[in-house]
Amino acid sequence: MDNSSNFDEVSDPGYQPSPSSLDRNDQSAVETPGYSTMSGDSFMFGRTYSETSAFSDPIDDNSYSSEPSPSHLSVTKSEAQHQAILGRLEMKRQKQVADDKLDDQESARLELELMKERFSKLLLGEDMSGSGKGVCTAVTISNSVTNLYATVFGQSLRLEPLKPEKKLMWKREMNCLLSICDYIVEFIPKSQILRDGTALEVMESRPRSDIYINLPALRKLDAMLMEVLDSFQDAEFWYAEQGSMSSNSTRSGSFRRVITQRKEEKWWVPVPCVPSNGLSEESRKHLRHKRDCAYQIHKASMAINSSILAEMEIPDTYIASLPKSGRASLGDTIYRNMYTADKFSPGNLLDCLNLASEHEALELADRVEASMYTWRRKACLSHSKSSWNMVKDLMSDNDRTDKNHILAERAETLLFCLKQRYPELSQTSLDTCKIQYNQDVGQAILESYSRVLEGLAFNIVAWIEDVLCEDKLVRSQEQ
């Protein structure tokens, strides 16, 4: 009976003999190398038991030895290690989430502090003493747009996408500055019919006409310029500093010789480099297309900027500084050409002057503009009539034969031709004076926004021209 009970106990599929249940006197099987006390079937049973023990019927504890089995001990240890690893990963994840929250809070705090600083400077008129000696709001906003452009694009000297943090700063702060235009409105009449048929005329507000027309266009031009820069993410060309121009560069290719006047003056500008066999035809076509787009954006921005400046009032300080004689301001050579010629040709006059630099062109623009307003003022003062009649008569055919009026028109034509021939010309003294003494906030925003976009578009065109020039030079050397 004892043997049969023992046989039944061993035959139980869920039974797994413990070391203590083995015969203590039989040690040969245990000490024999390479021999296991568990057969293949018993190993399978043990694995099945370890997996299904939680769902099996309860078994009498007396049928087991007081010591746990080795396989059960190893499974328990592995589970404990697994749980420890999961715990460490969870703690690391929670720490990362906490760090991200702290970073977000810090970023929000810094952004709030920046907004406070901008708002304070706006109210103080950039006068940190608070004594009320600061500039007006319009000039403060104009300076803010200009300074923001210098911060974001001042170090951008390459044809490549803008860094994400710089792009985010540009969008965030420009949206803040442009939001002022949402509250610059004008009132227009609108007809309204009541239920009883009574017709009323009420006033409704809408954005001021110049803002309503120009601000959406400037936003669109801004987005287009960002798209032009982003299109050069994976470009075939690269850049190298002029001080590091050597054959041991990280990328094999040619380095451009600095032969243009612009490069000689701006030696700090990085030099574009292209592969030794030049750019691919697809890349050249892409560069030309983006150059044409940037050039059109430049023209549109310049047109908006010129129209806004033309609408600004001429400061009294500029009128007081005008010369008494336009001839003395221009010189005898230019004056005789403008006065004696039956058909005035500003292009031929500029060819005869043979301007050698942008500085000379800007100096001539200042003198021509001052002479133009001098002759206009003389044309107005030559009439002894009322101001309203004087304005009407200045547009009449009789007064168009007046010498001062003819000279003023020809000076305006010469100035326009000069700005077309030198599109990169800096602002004239009158433009600077208008911006300095302007008190219209809407005009200040439109003028500064269009001016910085004009400068960015011009730089992009110049960068693309540099790359195309380098590619042309490399291909000519190969031929």
Side-chain angles (χ1 to χ4, degrees):
M1 291 294 292
D2 294 337
N3 294 334
S4 63
S5 63
N6 292 336
F7 177 79
D8 294 338
E9 197 173 74
V10 173
S11 301
D12 187 359
Y15 175 76
Q16 185 173 345
S18 64
S20 61
S21 64
L22 298 176
D23 188 2
R24 298 175 182 269
N25 298 326
D26 190 4
Q27 302 292 337
S28 60
V30 178
E31 296 175 355
T32 302
Y35 180 77
S36 173
T37 60
M38 300 177 62
S39 64
D41 295 338
S42 65
F43 178 78
M44 293 298 295
F45 293 151
R47 184 172 62 84
T48 306
Y49 167 76
S50 66
E51 293 178 352
T52 61
S53 62
F55 304 95
S56 303
D57 294 335
I59 301 175
D60 187 8
D61 294 339
N62 295 329
S63 63
Y64 287 88
S65 172
S66 61
E67 298 180 6
S69 64
S71 61
H72 184 70
L73 183 61
S74 62
V75 170
T76 305
K77 184 180 294 185
S78 63
E79 290 180 353
Q81 293 176 351
H82 183 64
Q83 292 295 334
I85 293 174
L86 291 178
R88 287 195 295 269
L89 291 176
E90 180 65 20
M91 291 178 61
K92 185 179 293 185
R93 187 186 68 81
Q94 292 178 358
K95 183 179 179 182
Q96 183 66 31
V97 171
D99 292 342
D100 292 341
K101 289 182 178 179
L102 290 176
D103 292 340
D104 293 340
Q105 293 176 358
E106 182 67 16
S107 177
R109 188 187 67 82
L110 293 176
E111 185 174 349
L112 180 60
E113 291 295 329
L114 181 62
M115 296 301 297
K116 288 180 179 179
E117 179 184 356
R118 303 289 188 194
F119 185 67
S120 300
K121 288 183 177 180
L122 183 64
L123 293 180
L124 294 172
E126 299 180 350
D127 178 21
M128 299 299 105
S129 66
S131 59
K133 298 179 180 179
V135 297
C136 65
T137 306
V139 178
T140 304
I141 294 176
S142 178
N143 292 340
S144 299
V145 174
T146 305
N147 294 336
L148 176 61
Y149 172 79
T151 302
V152 175
F153 297 98
Q155 300 298 325
S156 297
L157 303 175
R158 306 182 181 201
L159 195 60
E160 60 187 8
L162 198 62
K163 294 182 179 179
E165 59 273 13
K166 294 286 188 180
K167 184 184 295 186
L168 181 62
M169 177 189 294
W170 173 255
K171 290 183 178 180
R172 182 181 66 245
E173 298 199 20
M174 277 306 303
N175 287 335
C176 179
L177 293 171
L178 296 178
S179 65
I180 302 173
C181 295
D182 297 338
Y183 304 94
I184 302 177
V185 297
E186 62 183 2
F187 293 95
I188 58 173
K190 179 183 179 182
S191 298
Q192 184 176 0
I193 301 177
L194 302 180
R195 292 181 179 179
D196 58 358
T198 305
L200 295 177
E201 191 176 72
V202 297
M203 303 296 290
E204 69 172 5
S205 63
R206 72 171 187 183
R208 207 171 67 184
S209 58
D210 56 343
I211 295 175
Y212 181 78
I213 296 173
N214 294 315
L215 186 57
L218 291 174
R219 286 183 179 274
K220 181 63 176 178
L221 295 176
D222 188 355
M224 292 173 66
L225 286 175
M226 294 300 107
E227 291 177 1
V228 170
L229 290 176
D230 291 339
S231 66
F232 294 100
Q233 178 67 43
D234 299 320
E236 295 182 7
F237 56 89
W238 68 98
Y239 286 87
E241 302 296 333
Q242 294 189 22
S244 62
M245 293 172 59
S246 64
S247 58
N248 297 326
S249 178
T250 56
R251 297 179 62 174
S252 60
S254 63
F255 291 93
R256 178 181 178 185
R257 297 177 183 176
V258 186
I259 56 177
T260 63
Q261 182 69 21
R262 190 174 69 86
K263 285 294 184 180
E264 291 176 356
E265 295 175 354
K266 300 181 180 181
W267 52 267
W268 63 89
V269 177
V271 181
C273 307
V274 298
S276 56
N277 57 348
L279 298 174
S280 63
E281 183 62 30
E282 181 181 358
S283 180
R284 283 195 294 269
K285 186 181 298 184
H286 175 71
L287 283 168
R288 295 191 189 102
H289 174 66
K290 294 304 178 182
R291 178 194 59 187
D292 296 340
C293 291
Y295 180 68
Q296 295 300 325
I297 295 173
H298 175 263
K299 288 175 61 178
S301 302
M302 186 168 58
I304 294 176
N305 185 262
S306 299
S307 65
I308 298 300
L309 285 172
E311 293 176 2
M312 288 184 179
E313 295 182 359
I314 301 176
D316 295 336
T317 54
Y318 182 82
I319 298 296
S321 65
L322 289 176
K324 295 183 178 180
S325 171
R327 180 174 183 173
S329 176
L330 287 177
D332 292 337
T333 303
I334 300 178
Y335 177 79
R336 282 196 302 266
N337 194 301
M338 293 176 61
Y339 181 65
T340 59
D342 295 334
K343 293 183 179 181
F344 176 63
S345 176
N348 293 337
L349 177 58
L350 292 178
D351 293 337
C352 295
L353 294 177
N354 193 19
L355 301 176
S357 64
E358 180 182 340
H359 177 73
E360 293 182 2
L362 181 60
E363 183 182 1
L364 176 61
D366 286 336
R367 290 189 289 137
V368 171
E369 197 167 41
S371 302
M372 178 181 68
Y373 284 101
T374 299
W375 286 320
R376 284 182 179 177
R377 184 178 60 174
K378 287 185 176 181
C380 293
L381 295 177
S382 62
H383 298 269
S384 58
K385 305 176 184 179
S386 63
S387 58
W388 173 244
N389 291 330
M390 181 168 50
V391 172
K392 290 191 300 182
D393 290 343
L394 281 174
M395 302 304 298
S396 65
D397 294 335
N398 293 332
D399 285 332
R400 288 187 180 275
T401 60
D402 182 75
K403 180 185 72 171
N404 292 320
H405 185 79
I406 294 175
L407 289 174
E409 283 188 342
R410 291 184 175 182
E412 184 177 7
T413 306
L414 178 61
L415 181 63
F416 180 77
C417 183
L418 182 63
K419 289 183 177 181
Q420 277 193 327
R421 182 168 294 192
Y422 299 93
E424 71 280 6
L425 201 64
S426 303
Q427 291 178 329
T428 62
S429 300
L430 177 59
D431 295 339
T432 306
C433 192
K434 283 183 175 181
I435 296 172
Q436 181 181 357
Y437 291 95
N438 173 52
Q439 295 185 350
D440 190 299
V441 176
Q443 289 180 344
I445 293 176
L446 295 176
E447 188 281 327
S448 56
Y449 195 16
S450 60
R451 172 163 39 86
V452 296
L453 292 182
E454 177 187 341
L456 178 59
F458 177 79
N459 288 338
I460 292 176
V461 172
W463 296 336
I464 295 177
E465 288 288 351
D466 289 343
V467 177
L468 291 175
C469 181
E470 167 65 10
D471 176 64
K472 183 178 180 181
L473 180 63
V474 170
R475 287 187 290 112
S476 64
Q477 290 177 351
E478 281 192 348
Q479 295 175 356

